Amino acid sequence: QTMLFINRRGYSTFVSCRNCGYVMKCTHCDVSYKYHATSGKLVCHYCGETVARPEVCPVCGSKYIRYFGTGTQKVEEEVKKYFPTARVLRMDMDTVSGKNGYSNILNKFADGEVDILVGTQMIAKGLDFPKVSLVGIVSADTMLQLPDYTSREKTYSLITQVAGRSGRAGDKGVVVLQTYNPDNPVLRFATKYDYEGFFEREISLRKTTSYPPYATIVRVMVESDDEEKGVEALRKVYEGLSALRERESDAFLFFNKMKSPIKRLKNKFRFQVLMRIDYKREDVLNQIYELSLPVSDKNALVYVEINPGNLS
């Protein structure tokens, strides 16, 4: 049996007009729609909004609408095209939504009713299928592009976990990793299962760039239905934190205010003050809470995140 892993669901990752370059975006979030071929719809993976697939560009009226990127649905389609006699099943959030969807798919695979299982992270961890002798990791590069200081760590972990699904019955397994950057150190360490080598390089980078565990990342988030009220709340937070920075300058390694990478999410405008603090200065963390949280009111929600797992 074979398992193919790709960390994106849907068919295409974004839809664009080849004539004017317009990218179809969610009306509630500042993110592109993903195309789902099974439903023929464009879907926002953040708020769940679903719209019909466009026949023409809503900006210039061109018919040159194209679908870019690859998700689990596209991989499944390609596999069926090249291996028409294989029994193929897909496992992602779209196929396990039913009451017993998750267990039904795993049981079919375990019972040998499926030859090739295509899936997301759901197939990466804690599964033991003795008949799996081949694992394919599709587009491994995409996981390294996340706006997150732990993206390298997460990539290494996912690759080694999904690779471990192959050859579990004693027979030698094969793992094929697809990448546009085969010389990337993270991928090199992962393909050799060299945890110590990866750790030494990653911890050295964290130390040089002042990221955890050598610093504490603090993000003060401001969210509001009204952009102007969000900016006003951000100004109040920033003024208080700026004064704290002047008093405790030795504790601050980085300090900046900005819009979040995803500027609007579920109709909320998002702003942030991003900081890196000396990991020994818990007293400063307490002061950040005391200065930030009281700004929150009915017009704007303010909250503090410590070492957030995702900076989008």
Side-chain angles (χ1 to χ4, degrees):
Q1 290 178 304
T2 296
M3 299 176 79
L4 292 178
F5 167 77
I6 180 168
N7 205 28
R8 292 180 183 272
R9 65 186 177 99
Y11 188 89
S12 297
T13 53
F14 71 98
V15 182
S16 177
C17 172
R18 290 296 298 272
N19 185 57
C20 70
Y22 176 73
V23 176
M24 315 300 168
K25 286 190 173 184
C26 175
T27 57
H28 306 294
C29 309
D30 187 35
V31 295
S32 60
Y33 285 117
K34 316 302 179 190
Y35 174 56
H36 286 235
T38 52
S39 64
K41 303 285 188 179
L42 303 185
V43 181
C44 174
H45 285 182
Y46 284 87
C47 73
E49 182 183 48
T50 301
V51 298
R53 179 179 64 180
E55 298 298 328
V56 298
C57 174
V59 173
C60 71
S62 168
K63 294 182 179 180
Y64 295 105
I65 303 295
R66 295 293 180 268
Y67 302 87
F68 298 90
T70 299
T72 49
Q73 291 181 7
K74 189 172 185 179
V75 172
E76 179 188 26
E77 179 183 272
E78 291 292 307
V79 168
K80 288 180 177 178
K81 181 170 70 175
Y82 284 100
F83 304 98
T85 61
R87 298 166 297 174
V88 183
L89 205 58
R90 173 167 51 89
M91 188 172 187
D92 55 29
M93 287 295 293
D94 300 313
T95 61
V96 301
S97 56
K99 182 179 179 181
N100 299 312
Y102 184 83
S103 58
N104 287 342
I105 292 174
L106 292 183
N107 289 337
K108 286 182 180 180
F109 194 64
D111 292 340
E113 298 176 26
V114 177
D115 300 311
I116 303 173
L117 180 64
V118 178
T120 55
Q121 290 188 45
M122 293 180 177
I123 70 171
K125 304 176 183 179
L127 301 178
D128 186 6
F129 298 112
K131 294 181 181 179
V132 174
S133 58
L134 173 64
V135 164
I137 301 170
V138 184
S139 299
D141 308 85
T142 58
M143 296 181 287
L144 290 168
Q145 310 306 319
L146 299 174
D148 179 3
Y149 71 95
T150 64
S151 63
R152 295 181 297 272
E153 179 183 352
K154 290 175 179 176
T155 298
Y156 178 91
S157 177
L158 268 175
I159 288 174
T160 53
Q161 284 171 348
V162 72
R165 301 313 103 204
S166 177
R168 297 181 67 85
D171 296 331
K172 185 176 180 179
V174 177
V175 180
V176 179
L177 185 147
Q178 181 197 46
T179 173
Y180 289 100
N181 187 15
D183 293 323
N184 183 284
V186 176
L187 304 183
R188 285 291 183 184
F189 285 126
T191 55
K192 296 176 182 178
Y193 291 94
D194 184 0
Y195 172 76
E196 291 186 0
F198 170 76
F199 174 81
E200 292 299 332
R201 184 179 188 276
E202 182 66 13
I203 204 69
S204 177
L205 284 171
R206 300 273 187 97
K207 186 175 184 179
T208 301
T209 55
S210 298
Y211 274 93
Y214 297 100
T216 301
I217 295 178
V218 183
R219 178 164 74 164
V220 179
M221 286 290 299
V222 178
E223 295 183 350
S224 178
D225 296 326
D226 186 294
E227 187 171 12
E228 291 185 3
K229 291 177 180 178
V231 171
E232 177 62 20
L234 177 68
R235 184 187 63 78
K236 292 178 182 179
V237 168
Y238 184 72
E239 287 177 353
L241 294 176
S242 294
L244 173 62
R245 184 195 182 195
E246 290 182 8
R247 296 194 305 270
E248 306 286 355
S249 59
D250 60 317
F252 285 79
L253 307 175
F254 176 84
F255 183 84
N256 197 8
K257 74 174 187 299
M258 64 194 80
K259 286 186 175 180
S260 296
I262 300 179
K263 301 176 182 64
R264 191 165 62 98
L265 195 62
K266 298 180 181 179
N267 287 326
K268 302 283 186 183
F269 293 94
R270 309 168 78 236
F271 307 90
Q272 65 183 20
V273 180
L274 194 61
M275 297 161 275
R276 291 203 297 274
I277 309 295
D278 185 329
Y279 71 96
K280 299 176 183 177
R281 297 297 305 273
E282 288 191 7
D283 59 310
V284 171
L285 297 183
N286 293 331
Q287 293 181 70
I288 291 173
Y289 277 106
E290 292 171 0
L291 288 167
S292 303
L293 298 183
V295 178
S296 190
D297 58 23
K298 64 180 181 180
N299 296 317
L301 173 65
V302 180
Y303 56 94
V304 180
E305 296 177 308
I306 305 296
N307 292 334
N310 189 324
L311 290 172
S312 60

